[in-house]
Amino acid sequence: MTQTKKVLLLTRHAPYGGSLARAAVDAALAAAAFEQAPSLLFMGDAVLQLVSDQDASAVGTRSHGRVLESLPLYDIDQVFVDQTALLEYGLTSHDLAIDVILLDDPAMRQMLADHDHILSF
Amino acid sequence: MNYALLVLASPASGLSNLSALRFAEAALARGHKIHRVFFLDQGTSSGLATSVYPQGEADPVALWAELGERHNLDLVLCISSALKRGLLDASEAARYERQAQTLHPAFSLGGLGLLVEATAEVDRLLTFGGPS
């Protein structure tokens, strides 16, 4: 499949309270598998998905951080993060499981404008 | 214009699922095309043939099925979201040795690749979101 559209996957939910966080990452991996490398933007509560050393065994699921660590294997190298949300949770990029690019509000607005499709999870 | 819809919202709670349906109806009435409706996560319950909605409430399963049959729409449920919610077509019911087919025949099961294909194909993709 040739890439015809710039696709942004927007994720806004924390990792374990519901299944939308996982659905967003699964969609990203599927897009990459079909050579439609999407941009991935973590906004609001979704920054909690990125925290390193997650142990999800007590809630009967796989570590979401582990799933995110597989993104580079699918050539999803550019992961964008809502800088303000990270700050609100008292986190820095050193607390995160993968390398990310921090965006301020104007940069996020620009990102939303720059894509053909936004899949909002 | 050629549209695809991504429906994350449950048909059993909130208004977002019905909004997707109304959007599809309105777009088709104005001569637009709906390339595919892809149901993911809680949205997959839209295809559950065994659900029963109370009298006086909209029945999204029946409404989607009727719209789909009238316009020959491609109504696809994400297979992994669907299976864990008990939505099985005949072949999945046989594969996993479950008692019954529960998927409404107006819908089909498919992989996330069909969502990816739709995003590459259409002019506009609209997400009808899940719980906020």
Side-chain angles (χ1 to χ4, degrees):
Chain A
M1 218 183 284
T2 51
Q3 181 144 16
T4 55
K5 300 281 169 28
K6 285 185 74 179
V7 177
L8 174 64
L9 282 164
L10 181 60
T11 172
R12 296 179 294 118
H13 286 81
Y16 302 109
S19 43
L20 277 175
R22 187 55 201 275
V25 178
D26 285 347
L29 296 176
F34 287 93
E35 289 162 0
Q36 306 284 306
S39 309
L40 197 48
L41 173 58
F42 291 77
M43 284 179 79
D45 294 349
V47 298
L48 296 172
Q49 295 178 35
L50 292 155
V51 172
S52 57
D53 298 324
Q54 297 171 36
D55 179 2
S57 54
V59 290
T61 187
R62 277 177 282 179
S63 159
H64 195 76
R66 276 286 156 71
V67 179
L68 294 179
E69 283 167 15
S70 67
L71 289 173
L73 302 176
Y74 288 81
D75 293 324
I76 302 176
D77 298 319
Q78 297 216 314
V79 173
F80 300 91
V81 172
D82 174 354
Q83 189 174 22
T84 312
L86 205 60
L87 204 64
E88 281 171 358
Y89 278 106
L91 298 167
T92 72
S93 50
H94 301 293
D95 300 308
L96 307 183
I98 56 172
D99 290 334
V100 301
I101 299 161
L102 301 182
L103 300 180
D104 60 14
D105 289 356
M108 282 199 291
R109 272 197 292 278
Q110 190 61 46
M111 177 142 231
L112 297 177
D114 279 347
H115 285 79
D116 297 308
H117 295 317
I118 300 170
L119 279 65
S120 178
F121 290 86
Chain B
M1 195 168 280
N2 194 10
Y3 288 99
L5 308 186
L6 170 60
V7 181
L8 301 170
S10 166
S13 123
L15 294 174
S16 186
N17 189 288
L18 269 182
S19 297
L21 179 87
R22 301 299 183 216
F23 176 86
E25 284 174 346
L28 290 163
R30 284 162 181 73
H32 298 294
K33 187 168 176 263
I34 305 280
H35 177 71
R36 179 170 298 132
V37 183
F38 194 85
F39 298 89
L40 179 59
D41 199 61
Q42 294 184 28
T44 52
S45 301
S46 307
L48 184 60
T50 51
S51 52
V52 178
Y53 288 85
Q55 270 193 342
E57 282 184 26
D59 179 345
V61 179
L63 291 170
W64 277 115
E66 191 273 326
L67 186 72
E69 279 159 4
R70 185 149 37 98
H71 295 278
N72 199 21
L73 294 182
D74 194 17
L75 305 176
V76 180
L77 313 186
C78 168
I79 187 163
S80 64
S81 297
L83 290 182
K84 64 177 168 185
R85 290 176 174 81
L87 284 135
L88 309 170
D89 61 11
S91 69
E92 297 303 319
R95 187 203 312 272
Y96 294 103
E97 299 177 354
R98 295 301 192 266
Q99 291 171 6
Q101 173 182 345
T102 53
L103 181 70
H104 192 289
F107 299 78
S108 60
L109 302 177
L112 279 165
L114 291 172
L115 172 63
V116 176
E117 188 273 339
T119 59
E121 187 68 26
V122 300
D123 303 307
R124 294 280 186 277
L125 181 131
L126 279 82
T127 308
F128 290 86
S132 54

